[in-house]
Amino acid sequence: MSPEETPRVLTDLDDRIARTAPDEGGALWRLAESGRQLDANLVRLPPGAFVGEHAENDLDVLLLVVAGGGEMEDGFGGRRALAPKVLVWLPRTSRRSLRAGPEGLVCLTVHRRRPGMTVGVRPPSAGHTVPGASPDGGEGGGEVRGEGGEGPCMLDRVCPACGRLNERAGSGVCERCGEPLPSPGTA
């Protein structure tokens, strides 16, 4: 059994939370093990912060409230109180928004890891022809494969000051409060 396959403690969530200021928002920890099939993030929304209504179109997500509290609204106007030890299943395509309470909201999210981007040749049965493309990279018509997934995470779009999930990637500043956003890869 290689070291990557050995069960081990990755972090102490209470310690992670205690080492950061209560008003510090964003990712406090993320699963970064090589070869993993899951993604997990410990995320804090500062007191009163709001993540606008959105949906994850490809992945089911488990959200475990670790500390603080708040409220989740589903896409139909239903509201659910969020408190420590509440586990929420967010099925793919479900609409939801989150609002942190006066103590903030710290959640552990877990989902299947998104596949990386790949480029290759689509099998002829796929039926997607791009004019001028050839399976062997030469000239002429052929099949092209457009496989892959989305970026691995959207934490670089979560404002550390107000907790808002920004609609546009790469804007550099929060669309709500104007604070600088984390750089991709450091979020």
Side-chain angles (χ1 to χ4, degrees):
M1 183 177 282
S2 72
E4 290 88 28
E5 298 167 338
T6 304
R8 64 195 173 279
V9 173
L10 296 173
T11 192
D12 180 314
L13 299 181
D14 287 335
D15 181 58
R16 289 283 177 163
I17 295 166
R19 287 191 286 156
T20 57
D23 60 344
E24 182 180 334
L28 305 181
W29 173 83
R30 72 183 69 226
L31 183 63
E33 308 307 296
S34 64
R36 69 189 186 279
Q37 295 178 355
L38 291 175
D39 274 334
N41 300 286
L42 182 66
V43 179
R44 175 185 277 141
L45 297 178
F50 180 77
V51 175
E53 186 174 300
H54 65 287
E56 166 53 71
N57 291 323
D58 298 320
L59 303 172
D60 294 338
V61 177
L62 284 176
L63 181 143
L64 174 65
V65 179
V66 178
E71 183 177 72
M72 179 186 71
E73 186 172 330
D74 64 32
F76 302 103
R79 296 175 187 259
R80 310 278 188 288
L82 299 176
K85 300 183 183 175
V86 167
L87 179 63
V88 180
W89 176 52
L90 303 168
R92 66 184 178 90
T93 73
S94 65
R95 304 220 42 93
R96 68 281 197 155
S97 63
L98 299 172
R99 181 176 303 279
E103 296 177 7
L105 177 65
V106 182
C107 303
L108 179 69
T109 61
V110 181
H111 57 81
R112 180 178 43 86
R113 188 172 184 197
R114 295 176 190 273
M117 298 290 281
T118 61
V119 177
V121 176
R122 181 180 299 255
S125 62
H128 178 70
T129 303
V130 176
S134 175
D136 62 2
E139 297 299 315
E143 306 295 322
V144 175
R145 184 177 187 167
E147 245 182 76
E150 298 175 25
C153 186
M154 294 192 300
L155 285 175
D156 61 319
R157 292 171 43 188
V158 176
C159 177
C162 73
R164 182 183 197 285
L165 176 65
N166 288 278
E167 296 293 323
R168 291 178 291 128
S171 65
V173 296
C174 177
E175 296 163 353
R176 176 190 287 150
C177 70
E179 286 291 315
L181 294 176
S183 299
T186 63

